Amino acid sequence: MSGEPFTWLTGEPDQVAPRLLGALVSTSRDGGVVTVRITEVEAYGGFDDEASHACAGPTRRNQPMFGPPGTVYVYLSHGLHHCLNVTTGTAGEPGAVLIRAGEVVEGIPLARARRGGRDRDLARGPGRLGQCLALSLDDTGTMLGHGVAIRAPAVPAGEVLRGPRVGVRRAADRPWRYWLAGDTTVSGYRRHPRVDSGPGLV
DNA sequence: ATGTGGATCATCT
DNA sequence: GATGATCCACATT
């Protein structure tokens, strides 16, 4: 009961990120369960990661990133999209993994009602995934296992590829995006229209 | 297939 | 008052 329930999430975000591939995220809302099998993730670090929300230190929004592993961090993107992160690292050492895409494996009718469009695209992208799971800002700061649950993959994921992160302006080339090779639910790579020149890899 | 621009709002300076 | 870890629609090749 007591102790560290989320040891599998403890460690550097880029080490933990691939462990989330194949894991099952679910919410139970509006009288139905929706479960997504994760196929794409992105790691975000702390003060040394220019692309991370935690880079400039703790604020009201990013507070959950400084919490213990297994903390849910949801942020609102462009006023429209609720994006899901899971905190990694250790308390006081900011780090998180953004759940970027997945395949809906349970509650497809409910996911369709919330999203529409092709089944393959239901959770293809962080905003769409958040909409599928009916996330809101009320989820941020909660612990996994309450509103949002994640089951670790029964077996380690198959072939994992990695590459630069999607849509970030700073540190755009740090290869901290991980996905399952050949999976059709992985989102398309989009580079930020105005990437800052600079270190990128450090 | 690829590229541009608009929507929309919580958060931070 | 500016910004953005996005998505969709529409335009052009």
Side-chain angles (χ1 to χ4, degrees):
Chain A
M1 285 296 230
S2 56
E4 275 299 319
F6 298 115
T7 51
W8 67 290
L9 294 174
T10 303
E12 296 297 307
D14 59 317
Q15 304 285 314
V16 174
R19 286 182 219 155
L20 279 153
L21 294 173
L24 301 177
V25 207
S26 40
T27 56
S28 181
R29 254 152 235 204
D30 308 319
V33 177
V34 171
T35 300
V36 173
R37 176 182 143 263
I38 298 170
T39 60
E40 180 189 357
V41 295
E42 255 172 24
Y44 286 89
F47 307 101
D48 62 333
D49 185 357
E50 293 276 304
S52 173
H53 287 173
C55 183
T59 66
R60 178 196 204 81
R61 178 177 69 160
N62 67 21
Q63 195 65 39
M65 283 191 73
F66 293 79
T71 304
V72 171
Y73 170 43
V74 173
Y75 69 92
L76 183 64
S77 177
H78 290 77
L80 296 168
H81 311 289
H82 293 94
C83 301
L84 173 65
N85 297 253
V86 179
T87 297
T88 66
T90 57
E93 184 96 23
V97 177
L98 170 67
I99 312 302
R100 280 200 57 88
E103 174 195 4
V104 178
V105 294
E106 181 184 11
I108 292 180
L110 185 49
R112 281 183 189 138
R114 288 171 179 161
R115 275 233 22 95
R118 297 186 54 167
D119 282 1
R120 175 190 106 177
D121 295 333
L122 284 173
R124 192 174 188 230
R128 293 162 170 174
L129 183 140
Q131 196 179 349
C132 262
L133 296 173
L135 301 180
S136 81
L137 290 180
D138 291 340
D139 293 306
T140 202
T142 63
M143 273 299 173
L144 283 179
H146 294 84
V148 181
I150 297 191
R151 291 188 63 84
V155 297
E159 190 184 357
V160 174
L161 301 181
R162 69 184 298 193
R165 295 181 288 200
V166 173
V168 294
R169 186 150 115 183
R170 294 179 291 182
D173 292 322
R174 190 187 287 217
W176 276 17
R177 171 178 174 244
Y178 301 81
W179 66 93
L180 292 180
D183 197 295
T184 56
T185 64
V186 173
S187 73
Y189 176 64
R190 297 286 178 268
R191 192 173 174 84
H192 191 104
R194 284 189 48 176
V195 289
D196 286 4
S197 51
L201 280 180
V202 164

